[in-house]
């Protein structure tokens, strides 16, 4: 269970609901149908089991029986001489379709009977016409209301309806500038041109240059896309209109499109201006993907957006910015020239960028002398701006809770842990044996990772349960952000991942479910080595994965083996090769834990005692027992 790099925040889900969808309408109709139907059968009648009904028929309790397609209705005879329970009201029982066995009995007892034809006019009226009519009336009412025609609709038609509901927000000055943005310098550079244009449109107009109409900000959640859009408006000093894509999808059919129209109308009245559409993917999903039907609202909205984009004249100084973290699902029509033909990648910041972002967020925070933002940045690889802002906030809250005068480095450490690994759950009790297993498991990760020639330094081992899944974790941090990994480094990572299981085998004598996540990570990594990185000698330098990465996110989105692009036999060879890599890694991990059993025991015992071991203490323990890296200079002289 190592956390080699901090877990990512899951993408924010977009609310998929809409007030009324065709499916909803259908369900409503179906319900109405059944209610009305049983109403017709049951009105003033008592429902009884078929057996009881038949019994009543055979003793002649009914004067008349009506036989419908799927039910029987009996009208009680005036006088009954039997002691049996006597029907006071008509009885209704279900009938198996086509089962006429009741008829001979009816004839025997001289009961009058008749068939009720299904679909008779009365039935038809009650069962179909009335509910459908009601539904249609309701529907028309909504539609007319949306168009501002019906009673109670706000004056001004669609636009007004859009206006009253729409959370189109307009700010004449966002008060945000590029000074509030850090760590994404390339994106800022690209957007400066847009600012330039908004400030002095004449300059560009004069030379007839092509001004982009739409700029798509692409990047993982929390990296500052919204912030950037606001900063562009702030820098240019133009009004900022914004709307979130997910808000469209909740609306009635037709309203999303109306809002888009409204948005462009309002913005062009105030041009030069910025229009920002957040979560563009919520409306801009590819039109020919996904489920059949049920998407007419989104499609209408998208079409409206496309036509507005084609319609407006960029020279008035209107620029559309949009953000998405899933560019690969966007409808290609959105990316055509004249639409979002410019894409700006807003990526996660590197170490220096993180330091700068932290510096922005601590502007209003009182910091203690010992606080090193550099170190905070070094400990948070992979985190985005929003996470960093979160860490600063947590640290300030923690310091306040402890009644400190200033935020100390210790607060930052705690805040990092909270944000990175979820809240500490100290109160979760583990039994001693579980604790021992986890201690050996994590000790194994730490030992193997530390002793591999290319292992990353282990920064912290903990067996404090956190979050829901992890019982403990071993955190190894790269000294700097890495963009390339070599085969040897990957093989060492694999061995490190296997360290937990190897240690359990050796020390506890049993393997547990604790390694599930390690195995998952290791398998994924080995598979990539074989199919994407060409790192398997037997497969050779070939890409066997169908690259499904988005064109913008680069290495962020890994290629997956989504579609088979090779033969069954190749698949078997891939599997065998992946297996071989994993077995090899486990073998190497076993060798390490076996030959450093004393180190492993020391680590596990220490973990049991204090629950957390920091990186430097780990190094001390390892060198005390003479466990050193295979290729590292032997400092203690005792191997
Ligand atoms: P996104 O829209 O990409 O999901 P946001 O712009 O909403 O991310 O970021 C949320 C918050 O995180 C911002 O308001 C800001 O406080 C902080 N933040 C994110 N990225 C940065 C950055 N690059 N520089 C400074 N602050 C940032
Ligand atoms: Zn593990
Ligand atoms: Mg955002």
């Amino acid at each position: 269970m190592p956390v080699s790099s901090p877990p990512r925040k899951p993408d924010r889900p977009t609310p998929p609901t809409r007030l009324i969808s065709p499916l909803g309408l259908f369900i409503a109709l179906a319900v109405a149908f059944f209610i009305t139907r049983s109403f017709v059968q049951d009105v003033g009648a008592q429902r009884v089991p078929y057996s009881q009904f038949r019994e009543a028929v055979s003793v002649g309790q009914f004067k008349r029986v009506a036989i419908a397609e799927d039910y029987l209705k009996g009208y009680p005879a005036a006088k009954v001489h039997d002691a049996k329970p006597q029907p006071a009201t008509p009885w209704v029982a279900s009938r198996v379709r086509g089962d006429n066995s009741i008829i001979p009995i009816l004839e025997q007892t001289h009961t009058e009977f008749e068939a009720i034809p299904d679909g008779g006019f009365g039935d038809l009226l009650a069962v179909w016409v009335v509910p459908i009519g009601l539904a249609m009336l309701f529907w028309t009412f909504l539609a007319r209301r949306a168009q501002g025609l019906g009673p109670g609709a706000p004056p001004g038609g669609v636009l007004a309806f859009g206006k009253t509901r729409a959370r189109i927000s307009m700010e004449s000055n966002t008060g945000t500038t590029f000074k509030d943005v850090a760590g994404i310098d390339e994106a800022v550079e690209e957007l400066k041109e847009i600012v330039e244009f908004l400030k002095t449109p004449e300059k560009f107009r004069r030379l007839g240059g092509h001004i982009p109409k739409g700029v798509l900000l692409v990047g993982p959640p929390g990296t500052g896309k919204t912030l950037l859009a606001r900063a562009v408006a702030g820098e240019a000093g133009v009004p900022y209109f914004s709307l979130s894509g997910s808000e469209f999808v909740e609306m009635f059919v037709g309203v999303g499109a109306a809002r888009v129209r409204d948005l462009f109308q309002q913005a062009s009245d105030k041009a030069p201006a910025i229009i920002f559409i957040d979560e563009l993917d919520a409306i801009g999903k590819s039109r020919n993907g996904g489920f059949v039907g049920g998407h007419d609202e989104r499609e209408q909205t998208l079409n409206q957006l496309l036509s507005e984009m084609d319609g407006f004249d960029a020279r008035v100084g209107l620029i559309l910015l949009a953000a998405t973290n899933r560019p690969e699902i966007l409808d290609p029509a959105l990316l055509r020239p004249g639409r979002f033909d410019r894409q700006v990648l807003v990526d996660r910041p590197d170490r220096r960028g993180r330091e700068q972002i932290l510096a922005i967020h601590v502007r209003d925070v009182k910091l203690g002398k010992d606080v090193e933002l550099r170190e905070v940045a070094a400990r948070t690889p992979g985190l985005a701006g929003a996470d960093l802002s979160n860490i600063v906030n947590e640290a300030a809250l923690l310091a306040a809770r402890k009644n400190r005068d200033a935020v100390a480095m210790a607060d930052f450490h705690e805040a990092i842990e909270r944000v990175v690994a979820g809240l500490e759950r100290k109160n979760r009790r583990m039994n001693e044996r579980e604790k021992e297993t986890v201690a050996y498991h994590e000790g194994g990760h730490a030992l193997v990772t530390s002793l591999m020639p290319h292992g990353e330094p282990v920064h912290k081992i903990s067996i404090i349960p956190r979050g829901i899944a992890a019982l403990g974790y071993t955190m190894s941090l790269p000294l700097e952000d890495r963009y390339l990994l070599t085969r040897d480094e990957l093989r060492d990572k694999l061995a490190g991942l296997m360290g937990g299981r190897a240690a359990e085998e050796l020390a506890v004598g049993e393997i547990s479910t604790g390694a599930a996540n390690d195995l998952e990570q290791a398998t994924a990594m080995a598979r990539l080595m074989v199919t994407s990185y060409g790192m398997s000698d037997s497969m050779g330098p070939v890409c066997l994965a169908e690259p499904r990465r988005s064109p913008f996110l680069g290495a962020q989105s890994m290629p997956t083996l989504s579609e088979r692009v090779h033969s069954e036999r190749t698949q078997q060879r891939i599997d065998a090769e992946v297996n071989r890599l994993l077995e090899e890694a486990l073998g190497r991990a076993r060798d390490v834990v076996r030959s450093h059993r004393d180190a492993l025991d020391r680590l596990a015992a220490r973990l049991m005692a204090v629950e957390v071991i920091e990186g430097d203490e780990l190094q001390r323990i390892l060198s005390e027992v003479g466990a050193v890296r295979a290729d590292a200079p032997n400092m203690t002289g005792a191997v």
Side-chain angles (χ1 to χ4, degrees), residues 12 180-184 220-227 357 360-361 385-386 389:
R12 239 169 284 155
D180 301 306
V181 185
I184 40 177
T223 45
K225 299 180 292 298
T226 310
L227 185 69
I357 293 175
I360 288 177
H361 288 280
S389 138

Side-chain angles (χ1 to χ4, degrees), residues 343-417:
Q343 286 102 29
V344 172
L345 175 62
V346 186
D347 212 344
R348 298 196 179 95
D350 60 6
R351 209 209 73 245
R352 251 194 53 232
R354 289 195 299 273
E355 192 177 337
Q356 289 162 0
I357 293 175
L358 286 165
I360 288 177
H361 288 280
V362 297
R363 275 186 307 207
D364 301 324
V365 175
K366 199 149 177 287
L367 292 186
K369 287 209 178 58
D370 65 333
V371 173
E372 289 273 3
L373 292 185
R374 209 185 131 82
E375 200 192 326
V376 177
R379 290 192 170 205
T380 47
L383 295 204
D387 307 318
L388 295 170
S389 138
N390 208 349
I391 285 177
V392 171
N393 191 45
E394 274 290 328
L397 291 178
L398 285 167
R401 199 173 307 155
K402 291 174 193 151
N403 292 319
R404 288 197 225 272
D405 297 331
V407 184
M409 194 61 188
D411 300 321
F412 273 100
H413 282 312
E414 203 175 331
I416 293 170
E417 282 185 27

Side-chain angles (χ1 to χ4, degrees), residues 140-300:
T140 334
F141 168 73
L142 285 180
R144 286 169 65 87
R145 200 182 134 84
Q147 288 162 26
L149 301 173
V158 195
L159 293 188
F161 182 75
K163 262 177 204 145
T164 50
R165 295 291 165 110
R167 279 144 291 179
I168 295 179
S169 72
M170 197 280 274
E171 290 173 63
S172 33
N173 185 358
T174 60
T176 308
T177 67
F178 286 146
K179 283 206 191 64
D180 301 306
V181 185
I184 40 177
D185 300 340
E186 284 153 51
V188 170
E189 247 359 274
E190 293 207 45
L191 289 172
K192 276 189 175 152
E193 191 194 337
I194 307 286
V195 173
E196 198 58 20
F197 166 71
L198 286 167
K199 271 182 167 162
T200 52
E202 320 81 42
K203 189 169 118 194
F204 291 80
R205 232 176 285 164
R206 197 167 46 89
L207 297 176
H210 169 68
I211 300 302
K213 279 183 173 178
V215 179
L216 184 60
L217 305 173
V218 177
T223 45
K225 299 180 292 298
T226 310
L227 185 69
L228 264 178
R230 297 174 58 85
V232 169
E235 286 280 340
V238 302
Y240 170 81
F241 291 84
S242 67
L243 201 54
S244 167
S246 62
E247 282 166 20
F248 286 119
V249 236
E250 303 168 42
M251 299 305 299
F252 305 122
V253 173
V255 174
R259 274 199 194 176
V260 169
R261 220 175 310 145
D262 190 20
L263 179 65
F264 277 82
Q265 183 63 50
Q266 287 189 22
S268 54
D269 287 350
K270 291 248 163 57
I274 288 282
I275 297 178
F276 178 62
I277 299 185
D278 209 349
E279 301 177 77
L280 180 67
D281 42 278
I283 25 172
K285 262 187 225 135
S286 181
R287 278 171 292 190
N288 43 28
F291 298 102
V292 182
H295 284 341
D296 40 353
E297 159 64 353
R298 213 195 52 221
E299 208 162 292
Q300 271 190 30

Side-chain angles (χ1 to χ4, degrees), residues 1-2 441-442 445 497 500-501 514-515 517-518:
M1 290 158 271
H441 180 105
E442 298 305 332
H445 281 310
L497 284 169
R501 164 143 294 190
N517 184 259
D518 302 335

